Amino acid sequence: MPTTQCNTQPSRYPHFAYFLALLVAGCVALVALGALPRFADAAERKAPLNVLVLSSWFKDMPWQKAFDKGLHEGLGEAGRPYNLYVEFLDANRFKGDGTREAMAALLRGKYQGREIDAVIGESQPAVRLLIDNPDLFRDVRRVYIQPVGSLDAVQAGQTIVSKVDYEAVIAEMVQLAHPEHIYVIGDTNNKSAENWLQTFEAVLNAKAPGIDAEFLTDLPLDTLAAKVSHLPKNSAIFFIPIFKEGKNGHLTPRTTAGILAAQANAPIFSAWETILGTGILGGYMLSSERIGRLAAKAITHAAGDQIATTSRDTHGYYYDWRQLRRWHIDEARLPADANILYRDPSVFERYRWQILAATAFVAVETLLVLLLLRLNARKRAAEEEVRALNARLEARVADQTAELRTANNDLTAFAYSVAHDFRAPLRAVHGFGEILLEDH
């Protein structure tokens, strides 16, 4: 049986083929390695951070709005996508242990099966609810925002202290207003307000013992308005948030502050930035927006149980520009890092584009007028030069005409003289010629 022999032609460049294969494999590996971080980033972006805020108050409270704004900005700056859930306890109107238990049961059912990465307890009631229910959002990172540095049973969490720095608050008020009398407005109808008053009085007695202080507490709104409208000279008012009953029902601290500021004959200071804009002058104020940013930082970056180590983390110098003008306070007296809000725009700021357009139009018109004036001046100079040239030409023509006339006269005289001189010899020649004709 015949056999078929198959001859295989060996590669002429085996080493080059191996090198090419290795080069292609290396390029593929490098591309894959470079794509891994992008794939990881894409995977991380697809898994947003789920944050739950448990607020002690209600949605439209200015403090809550400012906190939400700071929290959103802080989370946005972190660069990671997030989902924000907010639940409100409305603790001012719904009080008691039974309410907290009912709210805890509601949260358990509502968020069952929902993955939460971090939970924020905003203010004391919400913090207490989380502490009393350790099984609620178990193994979830917690951030507590409260006016005290520590609470019992707080473990594995971070605390942001939202406590007013009364020493700095009073120091700024005294430095700016130089008051001889300070009138403190507040109420004792709840524990927080009573603690604020007691703390303020203790710090005021320690830091400014020479200033006369009067506490206007638990007074009707009409009585307060009448009182602050007839204060002695060199007075200052410190406003602690109070809730009052007015003609149209329950009044919030902002509304109450606005009513009192409209009647007061002395500047009003406060320690809560969210009250600014109602007629309050300002001062060294606790900022809910800054606290919101700190909460975002605690969730995304910071570690440890305490992250707000100084009052400057939660406070700032805030002032109402309109009140600075009202009470004739020079901005140069304010701290260098002061935040001046509600500044009325100047005429230029209000009509910037109209002023710029009018200025540009006037500038163009001015340039055109200057250009026309320059052209007109050059035209007049040219006309003057032409007239001067014509005058010189006319003078030269007149001179040359006079010279020509003189030359003509001289020539006429010369011709007459020549003719006169040749006349007698010609007559003699003529006479001799006639004699010759007659004789010959």
Side-chain angles (χ1 to χ4, degrees):
M1 182 176 180
T3 59
T4 303
Q5 186 176 1
C6 187
N7 296 325
T8 302
Q9 181 71 28
S11 175
R12 299 176 61 183
Y13 305 103
H15 299 292
F16 176 75
Y18 296 149
F19 174 76
L20 183 62
L22 290 175
L23 180 62
V24 172
C27 292
V28 172
L30 288 175
V31 171
L33 289 175
L36 283 177
R38 292 195 294 271
F39 292 151
D41 292 342
E44 185 177 355
R45 285 195 295 270
K46 291 179 181 178
L49 186 69
N50 295 318
V51 181
L52 170 63
V53 177
L54 188 57
S55 172
S56 297
W57 318 118
F58 53 91
K59 181 179 180 180
D60 295 327
M61 189 174 183
W63 175 273
Q64 185 63 42
K65 289 183 177 180
F67 176 83
D68 291 345
K69 181 176 181 293
L71 182 62
H72 275 290
E73 291 177 352
L75 291 174
E77 291 173 359
R80 181 178 175 182
Y82 64 93
N83 294 318
L84 186 62
Y85 306 92
V86 185
E87 300 291 343
F88 300 95
L89 272 63
D90 203 357
N92 279 338
R93 292 181 289 183
F94 299 92
K95 303 177 182 180
D97 296 336
T99 302
R100 287 199 298 269
E101 293 175 0
M103 188 66 183
L106 173 64
L107 293 173
R108 288 190 188 94
K110 185 174 182 179
Y111 289 91
Q112 184 177 7
R114 175 80 63 177
E115 182 180 354
I116 298 296
D117 299 302
V119 59
I120 301 173
E122 201 288 306
S123 295
Q124 197 81 357
V127 172
R128 177 55 63 185
L129 186 147
L130 291 173
I131 293 174
D132 292 343
N133 295 273
D135 63 312
L136 187 61
F137 305 109
R138 186 184 299 275
D139 300 326
V140 171
R141 189 173 189 181
R142 294 184 174 192
V143 176
Y144 300 121
I145 300 172
Q146 54 194 16
V148 294
S150 61
L151 285 175
D152 55 336
V154 174
Q155 296 178 359
Q158 292 180 305
T159 301
I160 299 175
V161 179
S162 59
K163 182 180 180 181
V164 173
D165 186 352
Y166 283 104
E167 291 188 7
V169 168
I170 293 174
E172 174 62 12
M173 178 175 62
V174 172
Q175 186 276 335
L176 203 60
H178 302 294
E180 298 177 2
H181 312 276
I182 293 179
Y183 294 86
V184 184
I185 297 175
D187 278 346
T188 60
N189 53 10
N190 62 75
K191 189 173 182 59
S192 294
E194 186 176 1
N195 289 336
W196 290 337
L197 281 169
Q198 292 175 356
T199 305
F200 184 88
E201 183 176 10
V203 176
L204 183 63
N205 292 334
K207 297 299 180 180
I211 299 178
D212 178 45
E214 182 176 348
F215 288 78
L216 309 177
T217 56
D218 302 320
L219 296 178
L221 185 59
D222 294 341
T223 304
L224 280 175
K227 178 69 175 178
V228 298
S229 64
H230 295 87
L231 298 179
K233 292 183 178 180
N234 300 324
S235 295
I237 303 170
F238 187 81
F239 179 81
I240 294 177
I242 57 176
F243 291 85
K244 290 292 184 183
E245 295 296 331
K247 296 179 180 179
N248 298 323
H250 204 56
L251 300 179
T252 64
R254 284 185 60 86
T255 306
T256 305
I259 294 173
L260 296 177
Q263 301 295 326
N265 65 340
I268 303 179
F269 294 81
S270 188
W272 291 265
E273 184 264 335
T274 51
I275 305 178
L276 206 64
T278 61
I280 301 292
L281 175 65
Y284 189 68
M285 313 184 87
L286 184 68
S287 171
S288 179
E289 183 176 336
R290 293 193 180 201
I291 294 174
R293 283 181 168 272
L294 284 173
K297 181 179 178 181
I299 293 172
T300 57
H301 297 290
D305 294 333
Q306 192 78 14
I307 65 171
T309 56
T310 67
S311 66
R312 293 311 302 269
D313 295 321
T314 55
H315 290 68
Y317 292 97
Y318 297 92
Y319 303 92
D320 189 327
W321 179 82
R322 300 165 297 183
Q323 302 306 314
L324 292 174
R325 294 191 61 189
R326 176 185 176 185
W327 302 110
H328 308 290
I329 297 177
D330 189 359
E331 293 183 24
R333 296 173 54 195
L334 304 179
D337 58 344
N339 300 279
I340 302 177
L341 307 179
Y342 306 104
R343 186 189 296 273
D344 290 341
S346 62
V347 175
F348 177 76
E349 292 173 341
R350 190 177 303 170
Y351 303 104
R352 173 178 300 177
W353 296 113
Q354 293 89 333
I355 293 174
L356 291 176
T359 303
F361 176 77
V362 171
V364 171
E365 291 293 322
T366 303
L367 290 175
L368 290 176
V369 170
L370 293 175
L371 180 61
L372 290 175
L373 290 175
R374 181 176 178 83
L375 291 175
N376 192 30
R378 295 178 63 179
K379 179 182 177 182
R380 287 198 301 269
E383 291 176 350
E384 291 293 337
E385 187 176 356
V386 169
R387 281 195 292 269
L389 180 61
N390 289 335
R392 289 195 298 271
L393 289 175
E394 290 175 357
R396 292 181 61 183
V397 169
D399 293 341
Q400 291 179 358
T401 302
E403 292 176 359
L404 181 60
R405 186 178 295 112
T406 300
N408 288 335
N409 292 334
D410 293 342
L411 183 61
T412 301
F414 174 75
Y416 177 78
S417 176
V418 170
H420 183 272
D421 291 340
F422 279 95
R423 189 175 299 152
L426 288 176
R427 282 199 299 267
V429 172
H430 184 268
F432 283 114
E434 288 181 350
I435 294 174
L436 288 175
L437 288 175
E438 290 178 358
D439 292 340
H440 300 284

